[in-house]
Amino acid sequence: MFSIGFWRSVKTLSRIVASPNHKLGSFGRPCPKTLTLSTTKRHFSSSLGDGRKVIPGSLGEFTRLDLLKKETKENIEHIWNEYHKSKPVVSAVIPTETWLKMKQRSKSNTFFVFPLPREKGYISILWQILDDMFLFTSLDQYKKMGKSAVPWLTVRHYTDLSEDKGVVLMRGDPNAEVLTPLESQYLVNQLRIYLLDDIKFKRMVTFNRHPNTFNFDEVLQDMGSVGGEIENAGGSVPIGSHFNEKTEK
């Protein structure tokens, strides 16, 4: 049974996002700016409620790692992307240097909330980090269910080849009942942007360390027209893409 979670003391966050009791982000309406999360520790599981794995725990579970290590960096990228091309998942090949920066910044700022465009508005998605995994779930579900909240999207980073080949292999498995691969792609891309862009990363720092001064409206502005087509909102990374740091500066 694959059931890993983590505990985190959640600060009282005010002036962040709309309460789930409101119509979330209905366009043309002001966005309520008050949210209070319990200060108790919460457990955010990385397994589905029935204990099923949401993503392979190790690279060796679904690849011939011994053979993969013999391939060139370019071939590994091609093999990885082709393998996932026809699957309902998100995949990418990340340069080790980029991954280390993302992880370092994530470890010191372990929470954030992203608006996910939906018809007539958006829903609020909570992101957390657990070791080499990025977990996303509905903020509403997290507040209501606490440790029973299940991930809507689980993104694992396989670092087996990071030293020898200079790449980290990423795979994200959405919970098909609540999230599409395209929506998953959107969330992964937004997280990448916020972790690598110095200006946007400051918003994450404010969210985690100075929640009383965090302004969620700035996140909405960053993402452009949230009401537009999701594939055009904020600029999407194609499924099976190679990450880079073009957004860093």
Side-chain angles (χ1 to χ4, degrees), residues 1-5 44-58 61-62 84 87-90 130 133-137 141 148-158 170-179 184:
M1 178 177 176
F2 180 70
S3 180
I4 303 174
F44 182 5
S45 175
S46 65
S47 65
L48 297 177
D50 57 9
R52 286 178 293 150
K53 289 184 180 181
V54 292
I55 195 169
S58 68
E61 286 187 33
F62 63 105
H84 291 98
K87 302 182 186 304
V89 301
V90 179
L130 170 61
M133 284 196 297
F134 290 157
L135 306 175
F136 298 81
T137 193
Q141 183 184 88
S148 298
V150 297
W152 283 25
L153 171 64
T154 303
V155 180
R156 181 177 284 278
H157 300 85
Y158 301 99
M170 184 213 81
R171 169 172 161 169
D173 285 47
N175 183 338
E177 295 180 359
V178 292
L179 208 63
S184 303

Side-chain angles (χ1 to χ4, degrees), residues 62-189:
F62 63 105
T63 68
R64 285 289 305 275
L65 186 56
D66 55 332
L67 297 180
L68 202 57
K69 288 181 177 180
K70 297 178 181 180
E71 298 290 342
T72 65
K73 177 180 178 180
E74 291 72 22
N75 283 346
I76 290 172
E77 179 176 355
H78 176 75
I79 292 170
W80 185 254
N81 291 335
E82 284 298 310
Y83 175 79
H84 291 98
K85 191 174 183 179
S86 60
K87 302 182 186 304
V89 301
V90 179
S91 70
V93 178
I94 309 174
T96 298
E97 183 178 356
T98 301
W99 162 244
L100 291 177
K101 181 175 181 178
M102 292 172 63
K103 185 174 182 179
Q104 185 274 325
R105 288 187 164 188
S106 297
K107 289 178 67 175
S108 58
N109 299 276
T110 57
F111 276 74
F112 201 64
V113 175
F114 293 99
L116 176 67
R118 286 279 173 92
E119 187 178 2
K120 298 182 180 179
Y122 65 85
I123 58 176
S124 297
I125 301 295
L126 177 68
W127 163 79
Q128 298 179 337
I129 182 177
L130 170 61
D131 298 326
D132 290 336
M133 284 196 297
F134 290 157
L135 306 175
F136 298 81
T137 193
S138 160
L139 178 61
D140 190 8
Q141 183 184 88
Y142 180 82
K143 290 171 66 178
K144 291 178 179 178
M145 302 179 65
K147 66 180 182 179
S148 298
V150 297
W152 283 25
L153 171 64
T154 303
V155 180
R156 181 177 284 278
H157 300 85
Y158 301 99
T159 59
D160 308 66
L161 306 173
S162 61
E163 294 186 8
D164 294 340
K165 303 297 181 179
V167 293
V168 172
L169 305 180
M170 184 213 81
R171 169 172 161 169
D173 285 47
N175 183 338
E177 295 180 359
V178 292
L179 208 63
T180 68
L182 189 59
E183 289 174 326
S184 303
Q185 171 190 331
Y186 176 83
L187 289 172
V188 168
N189 188 45

Side-chain angles (χ1 to χ4, degrees), residues 199-244:
I199 294 177
K200 292 181 174 59
F201 177 66
K202 290 179 180 179
R203 308 204 200 293
M204 299 187 79
V205 173
T206 300
F207 180 91
N208 284 271
R209 305 180 189 181
H210 309 287
N212 290 334
T213 63
F214 179 80
N215 186 356
F216 189 64
D217 288 341
E218 293 180 347
V219 179
L220 294 177
Q221 293 171 6
D222 285 344
M223 296 187 181
S225 178
V226 180
E229 293 295 327
I230 192 167
E231 58 265 31
N232 296 323
S236 297
V237 171
I239 294 177
S241 71
H242 191 108
F243 273 36
N244 57 57

